[in-house]
Amino acid sequence: MAEYAIDVTKTRKLDWNVIFDTAGIGLVDAVDPTKLKMVYKELKAGTTGDVVLSDRFVALNGSIDVDVRQITVAQITKLCPWFPHATPPVGKLLYDYAKKLVLHPSDLPDTDKTEDIGFWKAVPMTGYMIKRDGEKEDVWKVSFAIYPDHAKLVPPSEDSPYGWIGAEPT
C-alpha cells in the first residue's frame, strides 16, 4: 500500500475567477459548482439478471451559482443577454444566449490553465434581481445553466459536449 506524505504546503484556500464569453465578470464572493450532477444509466443484460455491468454517462444537469459583487451596467448587460428587457422573450430558446464559461483558480497566474474548469455552453439564468436592505453590500446571485454543445453531440465526436478540465482543447 502506498504511503502519502503529509504536506500542508499543498493545501489551498482560494476562490475562482469567472470568465464568461471572453472576459472576466469582475469581483465575486463565492462560486459554487457543486449543484452540477452527472447523470448515469445502469447497463444491465438479461443474461446477468440484476447485475449492473457498468454505468453509461448520459448528461450533466444542474447549475453553477456565482455571487457577483462588481455590479455595473456593463455587467448587467453581459449577464442578462436580453438586456434592456427584464426577461427573455416568451418562447425564446435560452441556448441561443449560451457562451463559454471558465472557472480559473484565483491563486494561479492567468497563463496557467492546468486547473481550469470550462464549459462550452452556459447561460446566466438569473435576471437583475438584488436583495437590498441598505445595510449589507450588494450581492447579485447569478446562476449559470450548463448545456451540451449541440455540435459535439453528433457522432463520431470523442469530445465532451459539456466542457473540459485544464487547458481548453483546440
Side-chain angles (χ1 to χ4, degrees):
M1 184 167 148
E3 294 288 325
Y4 293 97
I6 296 172
D7 184 352
V8 296
T9 65
K10 302 293 183 204
T11 64
R12 291 159 60 184
K13 182 179 178 182
L14 58 108
D15 204 349
W16 295 101
N17 292 327
V18 180
I19 299 101
F20 180 60
D21 194 11
T22 58
I25 65 170
L27 297 173
V28 298
D29 270 348
V31 178
D32 182 6
T34 61
K35 289 183 182 175
L36 288 175
K37 302 294 179 208
M38 288 194 258
V39 179
Y40 301 96
K41 270 210 179 308
E42 291 180 346
L43 175 62
K44 295 180 181 181
T47 56
T48 59
D50 289 335
V51 175
V52 177
L53 301 171
S54 185
D55 289 288
R56 189 181 315 262
F57 174 75
V58 293
L60 181 68
N61 292 337
S63 62
I64 296 175
D65 296 335
V66 178
D67 290 352
V68 178
R69 289 289 304 275
Q70 188 170 327
I71 306 166
T72 65
V73 173
Q75 291 302 82
I76 296 166
T77 302
K78 183 180 196 95
L79 297 174
C80 290
W82 45 83
F83 185 83
H85 303 287
T87 67
V90 172
K92 175 73 172 171
L93 292 177
L94 294 183
Y95 186 86
D96 293 343
Y97 297 121
K99 299 195 181 312
K100 182 170 45 176
L101 178 72
V102 177
L103 306 180
H104 178 79
S106 61
D107 67 335
L108 295 179
D110 291 345
T111 55
D112 183 348
K113 311 286 187 198
T114 57
E115 297 180 36
D116 284 9
I117 302 174
F119 302 92
W120 299 117
K121 299 291 183 179
V123 177
M125 300 292 283
T126 311
Y128 181 61
M129 312 296 175
I130 296 177
K131 180 180 177 180
R132 289 184 165 145
D133 62 10
E135 297 292 322
K136 297 178 190 148
E137 297 284 330
D138 285 353
V139 175
W140 183 15
K141 296 187 176 293
V142 177
S143 183
F144 289 90
I146 305 300
Y147 294 115
D149 182 337
H150 296 173
K152 294 182 184 328
L153 287 172
V154 179
S157 177
E158 293 293 321
D159 293 335
S160 166
Y162 290 96
W164 69 93
I165 296 174
E168 180 179 343
T170 53

